[in-house]
Amino acid sequence: QVQLVESGGGLVQPGGSLRLSCVISGGTFSAYDMGWYRQAPGSGREFVAAINWSGGSTTYYADSAKGRFNISKDNAKNTLYLNMNSLKPEDTAVYYCNGESTLGGTDYWGQGTQVTVSS
């Protein structure tokens, strides 16, 4: 059974950095884009960044993430990463790992990891 397990969230001061990880297991994701979404209290879930899981490493970023966040992967470890720098209070949210099928198949979600940016 497919599992996406996030880790790395926590409390950080404004301007600080965090690295989120998502370990992927139980499936083949050759036809998937893997990415990160976030959901702040009282808001809907929004796209943050994504990367092709197989083949090349084309990346996609939300405008809010460009220049501050970097998405990467380690296929050998089945792990997706999100390096977040220059964090702002408005980055506070639950961050979710996502696997989106490029062929119309099943999409997958992790359970989320809380990121809080506060002084």
Side-chain angles (χ1 to χ4, degrees), residues 1 9 11 43 47 63 76 98 112:
Q1 121 200 20
L11 173 64
S43 298
F47 170 76
D63 287 344
N98 164 259

Side-chain angles (χ1 to χ4, degrees), residues 97-116:
C97 181
N98 164 259
E100 180 178 333
S101 172
T102 60
L103 299 176
T106 304
D107 292 347
Y108 297 99
W109 293 91
Q111 83 288 350
T113 185
Q114 176 70 47
V115 172
T116 302

Side-chain angles (χ1 to χ4, degrees), residues 19-89:
R19 187 194 203 196
L20 305 184
S21 300
C22 173
V23 177
I24 303 155
S25 63
T28 302
F29 290 85
S30 58
Y32 278 76
D33 288 335
M34 302 302 298
W36 294 92
Y37 284 71
R38 67 187 184 185
Q39 187 166 16
S43 298
R45 195 169 294 188
E46 66 173 6
F47 170 76
V48 176
I51 188 169
N52 295 141
W53 187 246
S54 64
S57 297
T58 304
T59 56
Y60 313 87
Y61 293 94
D63 287 344
S64 60
K66 288 178 182 176
R68 299 188 300 126
F69 294 2
N70 182 68
I71 189 170
S72 61
K73 61 180 181 174
D74 186 332
N75 291 94
K77 294 182 179 179
N78 284 333
T79 303
L80 179 73
Y81 302 100
L82 184 69
N83 284 290
M84 305 186 293
N85 301 306
S86 302
L87 283 161
K88 306 173 182 179

